Short mmCIF file of all heavy atoms in Angstrom, two decimals:
data_model
loop_
_atom_site.label_atom_id
_atom_site.label_comp_id
_atom_site.label_asym_id
_atom_site.label_seq_id
_atom_site.Cartn_x
_atom_site.Cartn_y
_atom_site.Cartn_z
N ALA G 105 20.05 37.66 -44.82
CA ALA G 105 20.14 36.49 -43.93
C ALA G 105 20.62 36.88 -42.53
O ALA G 105 19.99 36.51 -41.53
CB ALA G 105 21.07 35.46 -44.55
N PHE G 106 21.73 37.63 -42.46
CA PHE G 106 22.28 37.98 -41.14
C PHE G 106 21.28 38.81 -40.34
O PHE G 106 21.09 38.58 -39.15
CB PHE G 106 23.60 38.75 -41.31
CG PHE G 106 24.30 39.00 -40.01
CD1 PHE G 106 25.09 38.02 -39.43
CD2 PHE G 106 24.15 40.20 -39.34
CE1 PHE G 106 25.72 38.24 -38.21
CE2 PHE G 106 24.77 40.43 -38.12
CZ PHE G 106 25.56 39.45 -37.56
N LYS G 107 20.63 39.76 -41.05
CA LYS G 107 19.66 40.62 -40.36
C LYS G 107 18.48 39.79 -39.84
O LYS G 107 17.98 40.03 -38.74
CB LYS G 107 19.17 41.69 -41.35
CG LYS G 107 18.66 42.93 -40.68
CD LYS G 107 18.23 43.96 -41.69
CE LYS G 107 17.31 44.97 -41.02
NZ LYS G 107 16.58 45.76 -41.97
N SER G 108 18.06 38.81 -40.66
CA SER G 108 16.91 38.01 -40.22
C SER G 108 17.27 37.16 -39.00
O SER G 108 16.47 37.00 -38.08
CB SER G 108 16.38 37.14 -41.36
OG SER G 108 17.29 36.12 -41.70
N VAL G 109 18.53 36.65 -38.98
CA VAL G 109 18.95 35.86 -37.82
C VAL G 109 19.07 36.76 -36.58
O VAL G 109 18.65 36.39 -35.48
CB VAL G 109 20.27 35.12 -38.11
CG1 VAL G 109 20.81 34.42 -36.87
CG2 VAL G 109 20.08 34.09 -39.22
N SER G 110 19.61 37.98 -36.78
CA SER G 110 19.70 38.94 -35.66
C SER G 110 18.32 39.27 -35.14
O SER G 110 18.11 39.39 -33.93
CB SER G 110 20.38 40.23 -36.10
OG SER G 110 21.66 39.96 -36.57
N SER G 111 17.36 39.41 -36.06
CA SER G 111 16.00 39.73 -35.66
C SER G 111 15.39 38.56 -34.87
O SER G 111 14.70 38.78 -33.87
CB SER G 111 15.17 40.03 -36.91
OG SER G 111 13.82 40.11 -36.59
N ILE G 112 15.67 37.34 -35.31
CA ILE G 112 15.17 36.16 -34.57
C ILE G 112 15.72 36.20 -33.14
O ILE G 112 15.01 35.96 -32.17
CB ILE G 112 15.57 34.85 -35.28
CG1 ILE G 112 14.80 34.68 -36.58
CG2 ILE G 112 15.36 33.64 -34.38
CD1 ILE G 112 15.28 33.55 -37.46
N MET G 113 17.01 36.54 -33.03
CA MET G 113 17.66 36.53 -31.71
C MET G 113 17.17 37.68 -30.82
O MET G 113 17.08 37.53 -29.61
CB MET G 113 19.19 36.65 -31.88
CG MET G 113 19.84 35.44 -32.48
SD MET G 113 19.81 34.01 -31.40
CE MET G 113 21.08 34.43 -30.22
N ASN G 114 16.92 38.86 -31.42
CA ASN G 114 16.66 40.05 -30.60
C ASN G 114 15.21 40.52 -30.57
O ASN G 114 14.79 41.11 -29.59
CB ASN G 114 17.54 41.21 -31.09
CG ASN G 114 19.01 40.85 -31.01
OD1 ASN G 114 19.46 40.34 -30.00
ND2 ASN G 114 19.74 41.09 -32.08
N ASP G 115 14.47 40.32 -31.66
CA ASP G 115 13.13 40.91 -31.74
C ASP G 115 11.99 39.91 -31.52
O ASP G 115 10.98 40.25 -30.93
CB ASP G 115 12.92 41.58 -33.12
CG ASP G 115 13.99 42.60 -33.41
OD1 ASP G 115 14.48 43.20 -32.43
OD2 ASP G 115 14.33 42.81 -34.59
N VAL G 116 12.17 38.70 -32.07
CA VAL G 116 11.06 37.73 -32.01
C VAL G 116 10.99 37.11 -30.61
O VAL G 116 12.03 36.68 -30.09
CB VAL G 116 11.28 36.61 -33.06
CG1 VAL G 116 10.14 35.61 -33.03
CG2 VAL G 116 11.42 37.21 -34.45
N PRO G 117 9.80 37.09 -29.98
CA PRO G 117 9.70 36.48 -28.65
C PRO G 117 10.18 35.02 -28.67
O PRO G 117 9.74 34.24 -29.52
CB PRO G 117 8.21 36.56 -28.33
CG PRO G 117 7.68 37.61 -29.21
CD PRO G 117 8.52 37.61 -30.45
N PHE G 118 11.08 34.70 -27.78
CA PHE G 118 11.66 33.36 -27.64
C PHE G 118 12.45 32.91 -28.89
O PHE G 118 12.78 31.73 -29.02
CB PHE G 118 10.61 32.31 -27.28
CG PHE G 118 10.00 32.54 -25.93
CD1 PHE G 118 8.76 33.15 -25.80
CD2 PHE G 118 10.68 32.19 -24.77
CE1 PHE G 118 8.20 33.40 -24.57
CE2 PHE G 118 10.12 32.43 -23.54
CZ PHE G 118 8.88 33.03 -23.42
N GLY G 119 12.75 33.86 -29.78
CA GLY G 119 13.53 33.51 -30.96
C GLY G 119 14.91 33.01 -30.58
O GLY G 119 15.43 32.05 -31.16
N TRP G 120 15.49 33.66 -29.56
CA TRP G 120 16.82 33.23 -29.08
C TRP G 120 16.78 31.77 -28.64
O TRP G 120 17.71 31.01 -28.88
CB TRP G 120 17.29 34.12 -27.91
CG TRP G 120 16.36 34.08 -26.74
CD1 TRP G 120 15.29 34.86 -26.52
CD2 TRP G 120 16.40 33.14 -25.65
NE1 TRP G 120 14.65 34.51 -25.36
CE2 TRP G 120 15.31 33.45 -24.79
CE3 TRP G 120 17.24 32.09 -25.31
CZ2 TRP G 120 15.04 32.73 -23.64
CZ3 TRP G 120 16.97 31.38 -24.15
CH2 TRP G 120 15.88 31.70 -23.33
N LEU G 121 15.67 31.38 -27.99
CA LEU G 121 15.56 30.01 -27.47
C LEU G 121 15.49 29.01 -28.62
O LEU G 121 16.19 27.99 -28.62
CB LEU G 121 14.31 29.90 -26.58
CG LEU G 121 14.04 28.53 -25.99
CD1 LEU G 121 15.15 28.11 -25.04
CD2 LEU G 121 12.71 28.52 -25.24
#
Side-chain angles (χ1 to χ4, degrees):
Chain G
F106 186 82
K107 204 178 161 196
S108 69
V109 173
S110 300
S111 170
I112 290 171
M113 291 291 284
N114 301 313
D115 304 330
V116 181
F118 295 100
W120 60 271
L121 179 64

